[in-house]
Amino acid sequence: MAALPFFSRLSSRRSDSLSDTTLTEPRLSDLSNKSLHTYYQPDQKAPRRWVVSFKSRLNPTIVGKKKARRNRVLVAVLLILALGGIAILVWFSLVLTLIDRLTPALPSNGLQRIVKTWKGPTDSVAALSPWPEDFIPLYEAMAAGCTGVEADIWLEGNDLLVGHRKRSLSPDRTLKSLYVDPLTIILSSLNTNSSSNSSVGVFDVDPTTSLTLLIDIKTDGNVTWPVLLDQLAPLRSGGWLSHWNGTSKTLVRGPVTVVGTGNTVFDLVVAEEDRYVFFDAPLNDLAQNSTYTSENSYYASVSLKKAVGVVWPWGPTDSQKQSMQRMISAASERGLLSRFWSIPSWPVSLRMRLWRFLVDGGVGMLNVDDVVEATRWNWDWCIVAGLVLC
């Protein structure tokens, strides 16, 4: 028999039974293949190719320690981002569901019908100009039960236009058309058959409550002042404005109280012997300044940030709370209504906590931008099962 090219490891005694079986030395190519692939039994399902490729990229014996470590870090980052995205979607869905479930129904009354049927600009050219959502704040505030409303006025020619920003001004949105004329009509109707010696106000629940009209002068105060007094003439002649009687030195309460802020000049306010516009005193300056009293001022206001600094999302510190409480007490001692403006609107839970603290602390007027959430929502609506969702 010719010699075989392979070395046989079998005993010659068993060559008769294992004559067809030979063992050979493994080749180098076989070793390299075994290091990259895993072999399975015939009845075992092999994994998909992408799974094998993914595992090999994380195996330091295949791609090296440095590259494997980098790939693992990348996978961890992608997993964190994916889980974070899912958490955000779940949170967002919960908030939307919460808002949908807790949104209070609109009350059905005359004021709401006015708001709902209010018409915008009639021509297409005017409709292209900025048309702010707060163009009917008087009716919205009264419908919500707010006892104060603010109007930002700009002197344009001989008229006072109303708007938060100059670019949103329109000739048909004036102090007279949006505030003075509607209030004049409402108070005239309410007091036509009144048997009382004093005029009744706009609130049926408490007719003695005065509606505060806060006038924020945006243009030059000295030039705007005489135009403002002239525009208020219908309310003054009707006897519906609160005023300081210079002769008797008494404060006469009326259905409407006008307060000047912004560029309102204090010297012009006190120059009027019979005062129909009161001043918005600086709340943070009351302790050091005895000038502002109920004879010349009605509000005492300050920006919350200017008063106590930045309030972080987790709420005001004890020091900030004490500062706010001292300012509220100082205004109350002068007979003035304290007011903090520029309260953070986000997170919502922070705004609600600030509102609650100010109300519990006896603030004179709670300054709000969202009258629906302030007057008809549950202030704890952001908290579900102890979790703060917004």
Short mmCIF file of all heavy atoms in Angstrom, two decimals, residues 65-106:
data_model
loop_
_atom_site.label_atom_id
_atom_site.label_comp_id
_atom_site.label_asym_id
_atom_site.label_seq_id
_atom_site.Cartn_x
_atom_site.Cartn_y
_atom_site.Cartn_z
N LYS A 65 -8.96 46.46 22.50
CA LYS A 65 -9.55 47.00 23.72
C LYS A 65 -10.02 48.44 23.55
O LYS A 65 -11.11 48.81 24.00
CB LYS A 65 -8.53 46.93 24.86
CG LYS A 65 -8.21 45.50 25.31
CD LYS A 65 -7.25 45.52 26.49
CE LYS A 65 -6.96 44.10 26.98
NZ LYS A 65 -6.04 44.09 28.14
N LYS A 66 -9.21 49.27 22.92
CA LYS A 66 -9.55 50.69 22.78
C LYS A 66 -10.81 50.89 21.96
O LYS A 66 -11.72 51.64 22.33
CB LYS A 66 -8.37 51.44 22.17
CG LYS A 66 -8.55 52.93 22.11
CD LYS A 66 -7.29 53.61 21.59
CE LYS A 66 -7.48 55.13 21.55
NZ LYS A 66 -6.26 55.81 21.04
N LYS A 67 -10.87 50.20 20.82
CA LYS A 67 -12.03 50.34 19.95
C LYS A 67 -13.28 49.74 20.58
O LYS A 67 -14.38 50.28 20.47
CB LYS A 67 -11.75 49.69 18.61
CG LYS A 67 -12.78 50.01 17.55
CD LYS A 67 -12.35 49.51 16.18
CE LYS A 67 -13.39 49.88 15.13
NZ LYS A 67 -12.97 49.40 13.77
N ALA A 68 -13.11 48.61 21.28
CA ALA A 68 -14.27 47.99 21.94
C ALA A 68 -14.82 48.88 23.03
O ALA A 68 -16.04 49.02 23.20
CB ALA A 68 -13.85 46.63 22.52
N ARG A 69 -13.91 49.52 23.81
CA ARG A 69 -14.36 50.43 24.85
C ARG A 69 -15.12 51.61 24.25
O ARG A 69 -16.15 52.03 24.76
CB ARG A 69 -13.16 50.92 25.66
CG ARG A 69 -13.55 51.75 26.88
CD ARG A 69 -12.33 52.29 27.61
NE ARG A 69 -11.43 51.22 28.04
CZ ARG A 69 -10.23 51.01 27.52
NH1 ARG A 69 -9.78 51.80 26.53
NH2 ARG A 69 -9.46 50.03 27.95
N ARG A 70 -14.60 52.15 23.16
CA ARG A 70 -15.28 53.28 22.51
C ARG A 70 -16.65 52.88 21.99
O ARG A 70 -17.64 53.62 22.13
CB ARG A 70 -14.42 53.78 21.35
CG ARG A 70 -14.98 55.01 20.64
CD ARG A 70 -14.13 55.36 19.44
NE ARG A 70 -14.18 54.27 18.45
CZ ARG A 70 -13.41 54.24 17.37
NH1 ARG A 70 -12.51 55.18 17.16
NH2 ARG A 70 -13.52 53.24 16.51
N ASN A 71 -16.74 51.68 21.41
CA ASN A 71 -18.03 51.21 20.90
C ASN A 71 -19.02 50.99 22.03
O ASN A 71 -20.22 51.27 21.89
CB ASN A 71 -17.83 49.91 20.12
CG ASN A 71 -17.10 50.13 18.82
OD1 ASN A 71 -17.04 51.26 18.30
ND2 ASN A 71 -16.52 49.07 18.26
N ARG A 72 -18.56 50.49 23.18
CA ARG A 72 -19.46 50.29 24.31
C ARG A 72 -19.98 51.61 24.86
O ARG A 72 -21.15 51.72 25.23
CB ARG A 72 -18.73 49.51 25.41
CG ARG A 72 -18.47 48.06 25.05
CD ARG A 72 -17.64 47.36 26.11
NE ARG A 72 -17.38 45.96 25.74
CZ ARG A 72 -16.63 45.15 26.45
NH1 ARG A 72 -16.06 45.57 27.58
NH2 ARG A 72 -16.44 43.89 26.06
N VAL A 73 -19.11 52.61 24.91
CA VAL A 73 -19.54 53.94 25.37
C VAL A 73 -20.58 54.51 24.42
O VAL A 73 -21.60 55.08 24.84
CB VAL A 73 -18.33 54.89 25.48
CG1 VAL A 73 -18.79 56.32 25.73
CG2 VAL A 73 -17.40 54.44 26.60
N LEU A 74 -20.36 54.32 23.11
CA LEU A 74 -21.31 54.82 22.13
C LEU A 74 -22.67 54.14 22.27
O LEU A 74 -23.72 54.80 22.22
CB LEU A 74 -20.75 54.60 20.72
CG LEU A 74 -21.63 55.07 19.56
CD1 LEU A 74 -21.86 56.57 19.66
CD2 LEU A 74 -20.98 54.71 18.22
N VAL A 75 -22.65 52.83 22.50
CA VAL A 75 -23.91 52.10 22.70
C VAL A 75 -24.63 52.59 23.94
O VAL A 75 -25.85 52.78 23.95
CB VAL A 75 -23.63 50.60 22.78
CG1 VAL A 75 -24.88 49.84 23.24
CG2 VAL A 75 -23.16 50.06 21.44
N ALA A 76 -23.87 52.83 25.02
CA ALA A 76 -24.49 53.32 26.26
C ALA A 76 -25.13 54.68 26.06
O ALA A 76 -26.25 54.94 26.53
CB ALA A 76 -23.43 53.38 27.37
N VAL A 77 -24.44 55.56 25.33
CA VAL A 77 -24.99 56.90 25.06
C VAL A 77 -26.26 56.80 24.25
O VAL A 77 -27.27 57.48 24.53
CB VAL A 77 -23.94 57.77 24.35
CG1 VAL A 77 -24.57 59.08 23.86
CG2 VAL A 77 -22.77 58.07 25.27
N LEU A 78 -26.26 55.94 23.22
CA LEU A 78 -27.45 55.77 22.39
C LEU A 78 -28.62 55.21 23.19
O LEU A 78 -29.77 55.64 23.01
CB LEU A 78 -27.13 54.85 21.21
CG LEU A 78 -26.17 55.41 20.16
CD1 LEU A 78 -25.86 54.37 19.09
CD2 LEU A 78 -26.74 56.67 19.52
N LEU A 79 -28.35 54.29 24.09
CA LEU A 79 -29.41 53.75 24.95
C LEU A 79 -29.99 54.82 25.87
O LEU A 79 -31.21 54.91 26.05
CB LEU A 79 -28.87 52.58 25.77
CG LEU A 79 -28.64 51.26 25.02
CD1 LEU A 79 -27.98 50.24 25.94
CD2 LEU A 79 -29.96 50.72 24.48
N ILE A 80 -29.10 55.64 26.44
CA ILE A 80 -29.58 56.71 27.33
C ILE A 80 -30.44 57.70 26.55
O ILE A 80 -31.50 58.14 27.03
CB ILE A 80 -28.37 57.42 27.98
CG1 ILE A 80 -27.66 56.47 28.96
CG2 ILE A 80 -28.81 58.69 28.71
CD1 ILE A 80 -26.37 57.03 29.53
N LEU A 81 -29.99 58.06 25.35
CA LEU A 81 -30.78 58.99 24.53
C LEU A 81 -32.13 58.40 24.15
O LEU A 81 -33.16 59.10 24.18
CB LEU A 81 -30.00 59.35 23.26
CG LEU A 81 -28.75 60.22 23.46
CD1 LEU A 81 -28.03 60.42 22.13
CD2 LEU A 81 -29.12 61.58 24.07
N ALA A 82 -32.14 57.13 23.82
CA ALA A 82 -33.40 56.48 23.46
C ALA A 82 -34.37 56.44 24.64
O ALA A 82 -35.55 56.78 24.52
CB ALA A 82 -33.13 55.07 22.94
N LEU A 83 -33.85 56.04 25.81
CA LEU A 83 -34.69 55.99 27.00
C LEU A 83 -35.16 57.39 27.40
O LEU A 83 -36.31 57.58 27.82
CB LEU A 83 -33.92 55.34 28.15
CG LEU A 83 -33.60 53.86 27.99
CD1 LEU A 83 -32.74 53.37 29.15
CD2 LEU A 83 -34.87 53.03 27.90
N GLY A 84 -34.27 58.38 27.26
CA GLY A 84 -34.66 59.76 27.56
C GLY A 84 -35.75 60.25 26.63
O GLY A 84 -36.69 60.93 27.05
N GLY A 85 -35.64 59.91 25.34
CA GLY A 85 -36.68 60.30 24.39
C GLY A 85 -38.01 59.67 24.73
O GLY A 85 -39.06 60.33 24.65
N ILE A 86 -37.99 58.40 25.11
CA ILE A 86 -39.24 57.73 25.50
C ILE A 86 -39.84 58.38 26.75
O ILE A 86 -41.06 58.60 26.84
CB ILE A 86 -38.97 56.23 25.75
CG1 ILE A 86 -38.57 55.55 24.44
CG2 ILE A 86 -40.19 55.56 26.36
CD1 ILE A 86 -38.13 54.12 24.61
N ALA A 87 -38.97 58.73 27.72
CA ALA A 87 -39.46 59.37 28.95
C ALA A 87 -40.09 60.72 28.65
O ALA A 87 -41.13 61.07 29.22
CB ALA A 87 -38.30 59.54 29.94
N ILE A 88 -39.47 61.49 27.74
CA ILE A 88 -40.02 62.80 27.38
C ILE A 88 -41.37 62.64 26.70
O ILE A 88 -42.32 63.40 26.97
CB ILE A 88 -39.03 63.55 26.48
CG1 ILE A 88 -37.79 63.96 27.28
CG2 ILE A 88 -39.69 64.79 25.87
CD1 ILE A 88 -36.71 64.62 26.45
N LEU A 89 -41.49 61.66 25.81
CA LEU A 89 -42.77 61.43 25.13
C LEU A 89 -43.86 61.03 26.12
O LEU A 89 -45.01 61.50 26.03
CB LEU A 89 -42.61 60.34 24.07
CG LEU A 89 -41.81 60.73 22.81
CD1 LEU A 89 -41.64 59.53 21.89
CD2 LEU A 89 -42.50 61.87 22.07
N VAL A 90 -43.50 60.18 27.07
CA VAL A 90 -44.48 59.77 28.10
C VAL A 90 -44.90 60.97 28.93
O VAL A 90 -46.09 61.18 29.21
CB VAL A 90 -43.89 58.65 28.98
CG1 VAL A 90 -44.79 58.38 30.17
CG2 VAL A 90 -43.67 57.39 28.16
N TRP A 91 -43.88 61.78 29.35
CA TRP A 91 -44.18 62.97 30.16
C TRP A 91 -45.08 63.93 29.38
O TRP A 91 -46.07 64.46 29.91
CB TRP A 91 -42.87 63.67 30.53
CG TRP A 91 -43.04 65.04 31.09
CD1 TRP A 91 -43.36 65.40 32.37
CD2 TRP A 91 -42.93 66.27 30.36
NE1 TRP A 91 -43.43 66.76 32.49
CE2 TRP A 91 -43.17 67.32 31.27
CE3 TRP A 91 -42.63 66.58 29.04
CZ2 TRP A 91 -43.14 68.65 30.89
CZ3 TRP A 91 -42.59 67.92 28.66
CH2 TRP A 91 -42.84 68.93 29.58
N PHE A 92 -44.75 64.16 28.12
CA PHE A 92 -45.53 65.10 27.30
C PHE A 92 -46.96 64.60 27.14
O PHE A 92 -47.92 65.38 27.20
CB PHE A 92 -44.85 65.26 25.95
CG PHE A 92 -45.35 66.42 25.15
CD1 PHE A 92 -45.14 67.71 25.59
CD2 PHE A 92 -46.03 66.23 23.96
CE1 PHE A 92 -45.61 68.80 24.86
CE2 PHE A 92 -46.49 67.29 23.22
CZ PHE A 92 -46.28 68.59 23.67
N SER A 93 -47.12 63.29 26.94
CA SER A 93 -48.46 62.72 26.81
C SER A 93 -49.27 62.89 28.09
O SER A 93 -50.46 63.20 28.05
CB SER A 93 -48.36 61.24 26.44
OG SER A 93 -47.66 61.07 25.22
N LEU A 94 -48.60 62.69 29.23
CA LEU A 94 -49.29 62.86 30.51
C LEU A 94 -49.74 64.30 30.72
O LEU A 94 -50.86 64.55 31.18
CB LEU A 94 -48.37 62.43 31.66
CG LEU A 94 -48.13 60.93 31.82
CD1 LEU A 94 -47.08 60.68 32.90
CD2 LEU A 94 -49.42 60.21 32.15
N VAL A 95 -48.87 65.26 30.37
CA VAL A 95 -49.23 66.66 30.54
C VAL A 95 -50.40 67.03 29.64
O VAL A 95 -51.35 67.71 30.06
CB VAL A 95 -48.02 67.57 30.24
CG1 VAL A 95 -48.44 69.03 30.21
CG2 VAL A 95 -46.94 67.37 31.30
N LEU A 96 -50.36 66.59 28.37
CA LEU A 96 -51.47 66.89 27.45
C LEU A 96 -52.77 66.27 27.94
O LEU A 96 -53.84 66.90 27.87
CB LEU A 96 -51.13 66.38 26.05
CG LEU A 96 -50.02 67.13 25.30
CD1 LEU A 96 -49.80 66.51 23.92
CD2 LEU A 96 -50.36 68.61 25.15
N THR A 97 -52.68 65.04 28.43
CA THR A 97 -53.88 64.39 28.96
C THR A 97 -54.40 65.13 30.19
O THR A 97 -55.61 65.31 30.36
CB THR A 97 -53.57 62.92 29.33
OG1 THR A 97 -53.08 62.24 28.18
CG2 THR A 97 -54.81 62.22 29.85
N LEU A 98 -53.47 65.57 31.03
CA LEU A 98 -53.84 66.29 32.24
C LEU A 98 -54.53 67.61 31.89
O LEU A 98 -55.57 67.96 32.46
CB LEU A 98 -52.60 66.56 33.07
CG LEU A 98 -52.79 67.09 34.49
CD1 LEU A 98 -53.54 66.06 35.33
CD2 LEU A 98 -51.46 67.41 35.12
N ILE A 99 -53.96 68.33 30.93
CA ILE A 99 -54.56 69.60 30.51
C ILE A 99 -55.95 69.37 29.94
O ILE A 99 -56.90 70.11 30.23
CB ILE A 99 -53.66 70.29 29.48
CG1 ILE A 99 -52.35 70.74 30.15
CG2 ILE A 99 -54.36 71.49 28.86
CD1 ILE A 99 -51.34 71.33 29.18
N ASP A 100 -56.10 68.32 29.12
CA ASP A 100 -57.40 68.04 28.51
C ASP A 100 -58.44 67.67 29.55
O ASP A 100 -59.60 68.09 29.46
CB ASP A 100 -57.23 66.90 27.49
CG ASP A 100 -58.53 66.57 26.79
OD1 ASP A 100 -59.03 67.43 26.04
OD2 ASP A 100 -59.05 65.45 26.98
N ARG A 101 -58.02 66.89 30.55
CA ARG A 101 -58.98 66.46 31.58
C ARG A 101 -59.37 67.59 32.53
O ARG A 101 -60.50 67.64 33.02
CB ARG A 101 -58.37 65.31 32.39
CG ARG A 101 -58.16 64.03 31.61
CD ARG A 101 -59.46 63.33 31.31
NE ARG A 101 -59.24 62.07 30.61
CZ ARG A 101 -59.05 60.90 31.21
NH1 ARG A 101 -59.03 60.85 32.54
NH2 ARG A 101 -58.89 59.81 30.51
N LEU A 102 -58.43 68.49 32.83
CA LEU A 102 -58.67 69.49 33.86
C LEU A 102 -59.07 70.86 33.33
O LEU A 102 -59.37 71.75 34.12
CB LEU A 102 -57.40 69.65 34.72
CG LEU A 102 -56.95 68.41 35.49
CD1 LEU A 102 -55.73 68.72 36.32
CD2 LEU A 102 -58.07 67.88 36.38
N THR A 103 -59.06 71.05 32.01
CA THR A 103 -59.43 72.36 31.47
C THR A 103 -60.87 72.69 31.86
O THR A 103 -61.79 71.95 31.52
CB THR A 103 -59.30 72.38 29.94
OG1 THR A 103 -57.94 72.11 29.59
CG2 THR A 103 -59.69 73.73 29.38
N PRO A 104 -61.08 73.78 32.58
CA PRO A 104 -62.45 74.12 33.00
C PRO A 104 -63.29 74.58 31.83
O PRO A 104 -62.77 75.18 30.87
CB PRO A 104 -62.23 75.25 34.02
CG PRO A 104 -60.93 75.86 33.62
CD PRO A 104 -60.09 74.76 33.07
N ALA A 105 -64.56 74.30 31.89
CA ALA A 105 -65.47 74.73 30.84
C ALA A 105 -65.68 76.24 30.91
O ALA A 105 -65.65 76.84 31.99
CB ALA A 105 -66.81 74.00 30.98
N LEU A 106 -65.87 76.85 29.75
CA LEU A 106 -66.11 78.28 29.73
C LEU A 106 -67.47 78.60 30.31
O LEU A 106 -68.46 77.92 29.99
CB LEU A 106 -66.04 78.82 28.30
CG LEU A 106 -64.65 78.87 27.66
CD1 LEU A 106 -64.76 79.29 26.19
CD2 LEU A 106 -63.75 79.84 28.41
#
